[in-house]
Amino acid sequence: MSEHLLILGAGVDRTSGIDFPLANTLLPDVTRYLDGPGKSVDAALRDMLPNLRFNFGTMVARAVDKIATREPSEQREMIERVQKAIKDLPPEKEGIKKHGSLIIKLFNKLAIIAEHSQIDDEMYNLIKEVFGDAADDMLDSDSILDIHKLSLSDTFKAVLKYTLRMGLSSDRHEVAEALGAEMLNIETLLIDKFLGFYNNKASEIKNYIYISWALWAFLVDRQREVMTRHNGRLFPFYSNIPRSGRAITLNYTSFLNHRLAIEDTVHFHGGLAEYVRMDNRDLIPIDDIAVCDPAAFIKDQVSPNVDLTNNDPAQQRHVIPALVPPLRLKPILSHRYINLWSKASQWVEGSRKIVVIGYSFNSADEHFNDILRVHSGKKVDIITPGATTKAFVGRMEKVFGVAESQYSHCKVQEHESLKARGIRLIAARADQIDLNSLFKD
């Protein structure tokens, strides 16, 4: 059992020279890909899925219709996200800044309505006093308005739709990105459509097959582009990984396997180099993923294995990429993932020193956070640019049980850091750290 364990999150693939998009900005990138270099992928998928009605553009209208039903806390989070996006914009982006101010005002109105409609303690007690025992039959709601039945005005809808569609265009728009990061999250969409496999809903299954293979094709093309660009040269970040240890990656990419042997790596959320046949949950490898042509692969190998002719989805044949969205509800694509997640837990338990890079410990990844939580007490270095912020330290308390007051300030490789017990929080990017030195500490 190796004493050293490296855990890699999305921030690693954001390293300069790799520049992969984060999950919350994937959908606009995939949309632009399908409209441009990925047109042949879109055509191959639609040939494979007759009468498919789904397209990413229609998601905007559906996302806007759901806005009014969000909880007040969610409305406030949307406001904070837009505020952060426009806070440090330069003077030449004054138009975008005003656009953001408009969105903030609109969401503030919506949040105020939701908050003021809630039944507070004073109102609750008055109802109990006036109606006595009968009040128990009346108090079946936390609000005097059912926000789930409210609808937005055409003006509000038009503003939001226009803004979100700007995020799907080729030009960067910070406000549209801030809204789309949560409202148009492709991984949330995947988990929503995956339920079709459980409730035998043919249209949702068809949508999932299209969305997942479109995402897979985009990532494969981007991965091939990066590998081609760095062919024969040192690969950003990954070339600095010590060959003597093991690594768990939470990314879909195959970059890690160009540095470490397959038996020394775990792709916790699946990867681009495998796909799943859903009737028997068999995991099938994809040969030469580094040079794979996505459109040709879909046409020649995926399409022959998909059969939707039977009206009963249970009698159909489906194959999907082995991509497991990092959400609280963890779909089991194949029985082999149960063994894979168990192996990851064993590696964490058996390691002496753990280095975590580019992982945000987001609540959507509680399945993985739990593995670290139950095996606490290890020496752990956590590297991410926001490692010393109050919000990140608060997240660490939920995972490792170390309160903010217990940390002491220090420097690690000249980077601002916090240290408590065996945990060090290091504010740095992945490519700014000497991994060999960390494992020797």
Side-chain angles (χ1 to χ4, degrees):
M1 177 67 72
S2 174
E3 291 186 335
H4 298 161
L5 179 64
L6 185 63
I7 296 172
L8 306 179
V12 165
D13 283 356
R14 292 287 292 163
T15 299
S16 178
I18 301 178
D19 303 307
F20 256 61
L22 294 173
N24 58 10
T25 62
L26 267 174
L27 194 142
D29 287 328
V30 173
T31 302
R32 289 190 284 266
Y33 168 73
L34 294 174
D35 287 338
K39 277 188 175 180
S40 56
V41 170
D42 180 69
L45 288 173
R46 294 187 184 278
D47 284 345
M48 181 177 75
L49 304 168
N51 302 314
L52 179 74
R53 300 288 178 253
F54 178 87
N55 70 75
F56 288 111
T58 60
M59 280 187 61
V60 170
R62 290 197 294 271
V64 168
D65 287 337
K66 293 179 180 178
I67 283 292
T69 67
R70 292 173 179 264
E71 296 296 322
S73 60
E74 295 176 303
Q75 309 287 8
R76 292 296 178 196
E77 286 174 7
M78 302 281 280
I79 293 168
E80 290 172 8
R81 192 176 291 115
V82 176
Q83 286 174 330
K84 184 177 179 181
I86 66 174
K87 180 182 177 183
D88 298 316
L89 289 179
E92 59 267 25
K93 292 198 172 185
E94 184 62 26
I96 293 178
K97 204 165 188 175
K98 287 182 178 178
H99 192 144
S101 297
L102 171 62
I103 296 295
I104 289 168
K105 285 183 180 293
L106 288 170
F107 272 101
N108 264 323
K109 293 280 188 184
L110 198 59
I112 289 169
I113 292 171
E115 288 168 352
H116 285 201
S117 73
Q118 290 181 321
I119 296 175
D120 57 23
D121 289 343
E122 182 183 3
M123 191 182 302
Y124 176 87
N125 290 329
L126 274 172
I127 293 173
K128 292 284 286 185
E129 287 178 20
V130 172
F131 295 103
D133 293 340
D136 292 335
D137 296 328
M138 301 174 184
L139 292 166
D140 61 350
S141 174
D142 295 326
S143 175
I144 61 173
L145 289 175
D146 187 348
I147 62 171
H148 299 92
K149 294 180 180 178
L150 293 178
S151 61
L152 301 176
S153 72
D154 290 341
T155 298
F156 198 167
K157 285 182 180 180
V159 170
L160 289 179
K161 287 177 183 178
Y162 189 85
T163 303
L164 287 172
R165 287 189 180 116
M166 293 176 79
L168 300 180
S169 68
S170 57
D171 297 326
R172 188 182 180 205
H173 193 286
E174 286 81 356
V175 174
E177 284 182 5
L179 285 181
E182 200 275 335
M183 292 174 65
L184 300 178
N185 189 310
I186 195 168
E187 291 183 326
T188 304
L189 177 66
L190 279 173
I191 203 68
D192 180 48
K193 301 301 180 185
F194 190 83
L195 294 176
F197 288 107
Y198 292 124
N199 58 27
N200 277 342
K201 196 169 182 180
S203 61
E204 298 294 76
I205 291 173
K206 190 184 292 186
N207 288 345
Y208 184 92
I209 293 172
Y210 174 83
I211 297 164
S212 61
W213 281 113
L215 172 61
W216 173 87
F218 166 75
L219 294 175
V220 167
D221 254 356
R222 282 294 296 270
Q223 178 175 272
R224 181 176 56 182
E225 176 190 319
V226 172
M227 288 180 172
T228 301
R229 193 164 65 243
H230 293 284
N231 186 32
R233 296 187 289 122
L234 286 177
F235 206 85
F237 174 76
Y238 287 93
S239 294
N240 297 320
I241 295 176
R243 293 185 183 275
S244 58
R246 286 174 165 168
I248 299 170
T249 180
L250 302 169
N251 301 322
Y252 301 134
T253 57
S254 305
F255 300 134
L256 181 61
N257 294 122
H258 288 263
R259 184 66 177 176
L260 297 180
I262 291 177
E263 60 268 21
D264 291 326
T265 63
V266 165
H267 282 72
F268 196 82
H269 289 143
L272 303 176
E274 295 174 317
Y275 64 100
V276 181
R277 179 168 166 168
M278 290 300 287
D279 57 343
N280 59 16
R281 302 301 177 110
D282 193 20
L283 208 56
I284 305 166
I286 300 174
D287 296 331
D288 299 322
I289 190 66
V291 295
C292 176
D293 179 329
F297 181 83
I298 290 168
K299 183 179 179 181
D300 299 338
Q301 296 193 49
V302 177
S303 189
N305 289 304
V306 173
D307 184 0
L308 307 177
T309 53
N310 197 303
N311 290 329
D312 180 5
Q315 302 302 316
Q316 297 175 355
R317 199 166 69 241
H318 316 114
V319 292
I320 61 175
L323 308 179
V324 183
L327 297 171
R328 289 186 181 93
L329 175 61
K330 194 70 77 177
I332 307 298
L333 299 189
S334 166
H335 63 89
R336 284 169 58 186
Y337 278 103
I338 299 173
N339 297 331
L340 198 68
W341 295 334
S342 175
K343 180 193 284 189
S345 181
Q346 290 169 14
W347 284 10
V348 170
E349 182 181 17
S351 61
R352 180 185 64 83
K353 175 69 176 286
I354 300 173
V355 175
V356 184
I357 304 185
Y359 176 53
S360 64
F361 291 85
N362 194 290
S363 60
D365 259 329
E366 277 301 296
H367 188 75
F368 186 73
N369 293 345
D370 273 345
I371 291 176
L372 295 174
R373 188 177 286 119
V374 299
H375 298 311
S376 60
K378 305 285 182 182
K379 288 185 177 180
V380 183
D381 284 342
I382 299 167
I383 299 102
T384 187
T388 57
T389 62
K390 188 178 183 67
F392 192 84
V393 174
R395 235 175 287 163
M396 294 303 91
E397 183 174 2
K398 293 179 180 178
V399 178
F400 297 106
V402 180
E404 180 182 5
S405 60
Q406 297 181 40
Y407 285 96
S408 299
H409 289 269
C410 63
K411 286 281 187 80
V412 176
Q413 297 183 19
E414 300 305 313
H415 296 284
E416 292 296 331
S417 307
L418 296 172
K419 181 178 181 181
R421 303 179 194 172
I423 299 171
R424 295 192 300 186
L425 309 180
I426 306 168
R429 297 194 312 269
D431 55 355
Q432 294 177 317
I433 290 293
D434 182 342
L435 293 176
N436 282 291
S437 294
L438 285 187
F439 281 122
K440 288 176 182 176
D441 285 348

